[in-house]
């Protein structure tokens, strides 16, 4: 079984496939350059995580607070802001409060950041939505959500 972090990332990606703006263009932890045909798209990653436990050597549940990041990437055009806002409008109701198959105890949108990246062949706009998720595991079984 895979780590619950991976299960959360995969479940989040599956939940946002098929949205009107990005369709099936959903990538997990994408590190390769995006092509025009890939845009607009969503990039899903699991980032920082804090773990709370009285004692990590025993079998008491660990409370894990994980940042789930969803980046919407679109070509820089005259209606870029509208496209990025549409991405957020479609992603937010799918993920806010979604327990992703009971892997999570909570999923809350905590921030949105918009940026322009002109380092690619063609400039793109990026909207980054960060969700704080909470889940529990035991120290002996990080592949099983409690």
């Amino acid at each position: 079984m895979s780590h619950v972090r991976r299960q959360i990332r995969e479940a989040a990606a599956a939940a946002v496939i098929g949205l009107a703006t990005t369709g099936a263009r959903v990538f997990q932890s994408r590190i390769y350059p995006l092509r025009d045909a890939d845009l607009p798209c969503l990039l899903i990653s699991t980032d920082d995580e804090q773990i709370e436990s009285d004692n990590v050597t025993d079998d008491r549940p660990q409370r894990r607070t994980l940042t789930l990041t969803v980046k919407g990437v679109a070509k820089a055009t005259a209606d870029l802001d509208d496209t990025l806002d549409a991405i957020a409008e479609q992603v937010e109701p799918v993920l806010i409060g979604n327990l992703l198959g009971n892997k999570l105890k909570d999923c809350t949108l905590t921030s949105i950041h918009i940026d322009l990246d002109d380092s690619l062949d063609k400039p793109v706009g990026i909207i980054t939505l960060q969700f704080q998720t909470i889940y529990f595991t035991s120290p002996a079984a990080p592949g099983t959500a409690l």
Side-chain angles (χ1 to χ4, degrees):
M1 180 160 290
S2 59
H3 197 285
V4 176
R5 288 172 54 88
R6 178 179 175 182
Q7 295 173 41
I8 291 167
R9 187 173 56 251
E10 290 174 348
V16 295
I17 285 179
L19 297 179
T21 304
T22 53
R25 295 176 303 275
V26 177
F27 308 103
Q28 297 177 48
S29 301
R30 182 132 175 133
I31 59 171
Y32 300 105
L34 294 169
R35 302 168 297 151
D36 275 357
D38 296 327
L39 302 176
C41 71
L42 296 175
L43 307 177
I44 312 292
S45 63
T46 45
D47 299 322
D48 298 332
E49 182 174 47
Q50 289 78 43
I51 302 167
E52 297 174 29
S53 180
D54 292 335
N55 185 348
V56 295
T57 60
D58 65 21
D59 201 29
R60 286 183 232 167
Q62 294 177 328
R63 181 181 198 264
R64 295 173 177 247
T65 304
L66 172 68
T67 301
L68 171 67
T69 301
V70 178
K71 289 185 178 185
V73 183
K75 294 177 193 176
T77 61
D79 62 349
L80 175 62
D81 288 329
D82 295 341
T83 301
L84 296 177
D85 288 340
I87 289 170
E89 181 182 14
Q90 294 161 22
V91 169
E92 288 180 39
V94 171
L95 292 181
I96 293 174
N98 189 332
L99 303 184
L100 301 177
N102 291 321
K103 291 172 185 22
L104 299 177
K105 300 300 181 193
D106 192 25
C107 183
T108 306
L109 180 64
T110 56
S111 70
I112 296 176
H113 179 76
I114 297 176
D115 200 8
L116 185 66
D117 183 352
D118 61 357
S119 67
L120 304 174
D121 289 341
K122 296 182 180 176
V124 297
I126 303 168
I127 187 164
T128 303
L129 295 90
Q130 290 195 311
F131 296 85
Q132 177 178 292
T133 67
I134 297 172
Y135 72 101
F136 290 84
T137 64
S138 77
T144 303
L146 301 178

